[in-house]
Each structure stands twice: as structure tokens, then as C-alpha cells.
Amino acid sequence: MFNETKPVDRTTSQPRPAQSPVATVDSSPETTGVSVLIPTYNERENITTVVTECLKALPSSAFELEVIVVDDDSEDYTWQYPERLFGDDPRVRVIRRQSSEKGLAQSITDGFGAATHDFCAVIDADLQHPPEKLPELLDALKEGADVAIGSRHVAGGGIENWPLWRKIVSRGATTCAGVAIPDARRISDPMSGFFAVRRSVIEDVDLDPQGYKILLEILGKGDYDAVTEVPYRFRQRERGESKLTAEEYQNFLEHVGQLAVASRNLDEVIDPMRAVRGAEFAFVGATGSAVNMLVFVLVVSTNAHFLLAGLVAFLAAVNWNFAGNWLVTYDRPSGNLLRQYATFHGVSVVGFVAYTGTLTVGAISGLPLLIANLFAIIAGSGINFFGTETSVFPTGATREPVSGQV
Ligand code: GDD
Ligand code: MN
């Protein structure tokens, strides 16, 4: 069952029972039961306003509401603010996540686990998402949608004050998501952090807390048919700071790559994270080949022997590849750097032997040279990857989950 094995770490305020005595069942036909999740990290300047606006947007006459603030134990004590201001309001709950890793997706996943109603909505705390649009999202669910998405890219939607580069990156990311995840293709804003879902959509899904685009996870893995998009304008952040860092772009691409494998059920064949590392390893290797060529040309131009040039070029590429894989593929892994460096050289030599061996056998058995070379490259890099995965960085990537925006 969804999230029963992942209890929320700690609720600072006593978890109050929802108004409905039976969880996930709406007690009256006139009111709609809804859990609104607000993930927060250092949002003390925004949190009380957004909670107030959510309460206003979803009045008790029409909604049986619970607002759950899921705070990552913010240094600015965000969690204290709603506790103080709304301590007497049974509709407001605060989860202060203390013991587990910080992260937007994990916070939302915990929020889903704590939510008691059938409809769950997610909204940012920084007022970039308009709380007054929540009823429209919930109406869409009432009318039969399984997922209702606040979209910046349907008629009536938009983004306030974004520079052109930001729009281009965002569009590029949306395109990537569409290519990778077939179900995301028909959706204009699969990157949205403002959405509502029926609980049944996510009930049996093992949401991956590594990913920070939780909606992509839901679209890639959830159980749903009808999706409705509701236009909204993504407003400018007035107070506090975005948690976006450059690292999150790589994180996003890795997440999309993993979903590309998982959403095609290929995860039974290969671990999605390993598949993504394989792609990154191949990418680094390709750039390493360019380094090899460049160094080779430079050394040959000094009238050095071509075998010496080859050796220098090989070593340059191995060092380049080590740095690239350490940084990108394995995300600055822990462990003894010197040992990793030495083992990588060893693995690369074995890979090189596999390469030359395959090339020789291919050429001798009469394969066209380019085809023989292709097989040799596959054999060499395959051995390199296998050796790196098992001997150089055996624990794989250890990237911290982070949040952000694309
Ligand atoms: N609990 C928790 N833990 N909350 C977090 C964390 C975290 O590690 N990181 C960010 N948040 C909260 C913020 O406090 C805010 O309420 C919300 O998540 C979004 O964070 P921002 O840093 O403001 O994100 P953004 O503006 O770059 O991106 C938003 O818009 C995107 C649409 O382009 C997010 O909603 C994205 O999910 C959304 O895709
Ligand atoms: Mn924001």
C-alpha cells in the first residue's frame, strides 16, 4: 500500500484528526474532502500568507479541508509560524521532517502518506502558484479527471517576468520529458509543481524520493486515465529565495532518464539508475575520444613517434574520463580518491586491450574495418563501464535529492 512503510518522521503539533471520521471517505455529498500539501524550506516570509489564502480559497461550506505544511526542518523555523498562527484551527497540520534527508519530492511523498482525504493538491509556499485556482483544480477532479494540473502553457496560462533563457530552458526540459516519458507527451506542463490528484492514482505507486519533479513521477508511474489542465500564471516570487541551483539541471536530466526506463517497464531488465549512469559514462567517453584526438594531433605535430603520441593521447583521455565520471556520472562519490584514480587506470588498460583485441579479430576475420572498429569500441567501453561500476565506484551514484525548477 502506498507509503505505509514510510512513516512521516515527526509531527510537531499533535496530528489532529480530520473532520471526517473515516479517512479517505467524504462525509457529505455537498462538501469535497481535500488535503492541500504545502512543501516548505525556509519560507517563513510566505508561509502564513499562503496558508491563509488556501483556507480562504477553500471555505468550509464547500470543502472539508486539511492543509498540511511539510517543512524540512527549515533553519528559519518556518514550521513554527503556522503552528503559532493556526494552532487552534483543526484544518491546519504541520509536519516537521527532522530525521530523514531533505528534499522536495520526499516531502511531498510524506505529505501524501499523511493526507487523509481522497483528493490531494500540491502548491508551493512562495505564492508563485495562485491558491485561488485550487477550486478549479478540484472541480476538474470532481468532474472526473484523475489528475488536474495547473499549467503555464495552455491558453490563459503564463509566466510573469521570466528572462528568455529561462523560458528556453523550461521548454527544453518539457520537450525532454515528453521524449522520455510517453504519457507526458500529451501534457503541456508536466513540470508543474501545482496539481491535484485522486489518491487512487498514487496509491500503489512507489514514488521515487530522489526525483524532485514529483508530477513527472506520478505521470510516469501513476494509475490514471483522464488528465485536465487548468491555466494559471506563474507569478514572480516576492519574498524569500528560490532553491534552484545549477546542479538541479543535471539532476533533472538524470531523473527523466530513469523515468524513461521505468515508464517503459525496462526497469525489469536494467536498474534505471545504472542505465542513466551508462548513458553518462558513454557521454564522458565520447568527449574523452575528442580529447584523445586533439592530444594525438598536438603530439604528432612535434614530430614525435606516432606510438608515443598514441600513448600520451590515451593517458590524457583516461585522465579526462576519470575526472568526468567522478564529477558527472558518479556525482563526486565518497571513497579514497587515489585508489579510485589508480583502479580507473587499470580498468582503462583492460578496456584498451579488449578494444585492440576485438579490432584485430574483426579485421582478421574480414569485417569491414569501420564495423570492426565499432565492435571494438563497444567491447572496450563495455568493459570500461563494467569495471568502473564494479571496481572503481562500486557504490554507484550517491547524489542528494534536491529541489528546484525547470
Ligand atoms: N520540504 C521541502 N524540502 N520543500 C522544499 C524543498 C525541500 O528540499 N525545496 C523547495 N521546497 C519548497 C519551497 O519552499 C517552495 O514552497 C516550493 O518547494 C518550490 O520551491 P522553489 O525553490 O520556489 O521552486 P521554484 O520556484 O524554483 O520551482 C517551482 O516551480 C516549478 C515550475 O516551473 C516548483 O513548484 C517546481 O516544482 C515547479 O516545477
Ligand atoms: Mn518558487
Side-chain angles (χ1 to χ4, degrees):
M1 254 293 270
F2 171 70
N3 221 12
E4 276 187 354
T5 52
K6 277 187 226 151
V8 171
D9 313 304
R10 195 167 97 85
T11 32
T12 50
S13 58
Q14 283 301 310
R16 303 178 192 96
Q19 286 168 354
S20 161
V22 185
T24 77
V25 175
D26 301 330
S27 56
S28 120
E30 295 89 45
T31 58
T32 306
V34 53
S35 306
V36 175
L37 313 181
I38 312 180
T40 56
Y41 189 56
N42 292 339
E43 299 286 1
R44 70 167 176 199
E45 290 164 282
N46 296 311
I47 187 61
T48 48
T49 316
V50 71
V51 173
T52 307
E53 288 200 15
C54 288
L55 295 175
K56 205 165 75 190
L58 303 168
S60 306
S61 50
F63 296 93
E64 192 177 341
L65 174 68
E66 73 181 347
V67 172
I68 306 180
V69 176
V70 193
D71 185 67
D72 254 332
D73 203 15
S74 300
E75 287 82 9
D76 75 354
Y77 300 101
T78 302
W79 46 274
Q80 278 187 1
Y81 291 73
E83 278 188 354
R84 279 197 204 134
L85 197 67
F86 305 100
D88 299 330
D89 191 330
R91 292 171 299 175
V92 181
R93 291 166 60 187
V94 178
I95 295 173
R96 179 181 169 200
R97 301 179 71 246
Q98 276 184 300
S99 57
S100 46
E101 272 183 299
K102 295 191 194 308
L104 179 53
Q106 182 63 69
S107 299
I108 295 173
T109 308
D110 285 356
F112 282 138
T116 57
H117 290 297
D118 238 355
F119 291 175
C120 295
V122 182
I123 184 167
D124 285 357
D126 56 5
L127 299 162
Q128 294 197 273
H129 299 156
E132 64 273 16
K133 281 271 177 182
L134 280 169
E136 258 180 81
L137 290 180
L138 298 165
D139 281 347
L141 295 190
K142 273 202 271 185
E143 282 157 22
D146 299 306
V147 185
I149 302 174
S151 170
R152 299 165 288 176
H153 306 311
V154 288
I159 299 171
E160 270 174 22
N161 289 331
W162 262 20
L164 184 63
W165 70 266
R166 197 84 193 263
K167 290 186 181 166
I168 293 173
V169 169
S170 177
R171 283 294 184 164
T174 307
T175 309
C176 277
V179 170
I181 306 152
D183 283 337
R185 231 162 271 167
R186 58 193 169 114
I187 290 151
S188 76
D189 199 357
M191 235 61 75
S192 181
F194 183 40
F195 59 92
V197 283
R198 284 173 192 281
R199 172 178 288 278
S200 57
V201 173
I202 46 174
E203 213 151 37
D204 297 322
V205 179
D206 184 15
L207 292 174
D208 180 0
Q210 292 278 329
Y212 65 91
K213 290 293 171 194
I214 196 83
L215 179 61
L216 271 186
E217 278 282 312
I218 293 173
L219 295 173
K221 297 180 180 170
D223 176 20
Y224 62 95
D225 295 313
V227 179
T228 302
E229 293 195 75
V230 172
Y232 84 96
R233 285 188 69 77
F234 189 77
R235 294 193 291 227
Q236 209 177 340
R237 189 188 251 275
E238 303 291 345
R239 275 170 260 140
E241 278 168 16
S242 169
K243 281 80 201 172
L244 175 74
T245 67
E247 191 183 36
E248 282 146 21
Y249 290 104
Q250 182 194 347
N251 220 6
F252 167 76
L253 289 176
E254 290 177 347
H255 183 206
V256 165
Q258 288 168 27
L259 283 172
V261 176
S263 63
R264 290 173 176 78
N265 294 332
L266 293 173
D267 46 344
E268 285 153 25
V269 187
I270 182 165
D271 168 22
M273 279 176 76
R274 172 165 285 186
V276 167
R277 289 201 298 272
E280 288 175 319
F281 194 89
F283 172 76
V284 170
T287 60
S289 302
V291 168
N292 185 313
M293 291 287 240
L294 191 73
V295 173
F296 186 80
V297 169
L298 285 177
V299 179
V300 161
S301 71
T302 65
N303 289 329
H305 190 276
F306 73 91
L307 273 182
L308 177 67
L311 181 68
V312 175
F314 175 75
L315 284 175
V318 169
N319 279 275
W320 173 274
N321 288 348
F322 177 77
N325 285 315
W326 189 84
L327 266 176
V328 178
T329 315
Y330 296 92
D331 299 314
R332 292 167 286 267
S334 53
N336 183 329
L337 190 64
L338 206 64
R339 194 202 65 81
Q340 292 164 347
Y341 183 77
T343 331
F344 190 79
H345 277 69
V347 166
S348 299
V349 169
V350 178
F352 184 71
V353 171
Y355 168 81
T356 39
T358 312
L359 182 60
T360 311
V361 171
I364 290 174
S365 52
L367 277 180
L369 275 185
L370 277 183
I371 302 285
N373 194 36
L374 182 68
F375 282 141
I377 289 174
I378 292 170
S381 9
I383 296 255
N384 277 345
F385 183 56
F386 180 76
T388 306
E389 285 274 296
T390 51
S391 321
V392 185
F393 306 117
T395 49
T398 48
R399 177 172 283 277
E400 297 250 312
V402 283
S403 67
Q405 166 178 350
V406 274

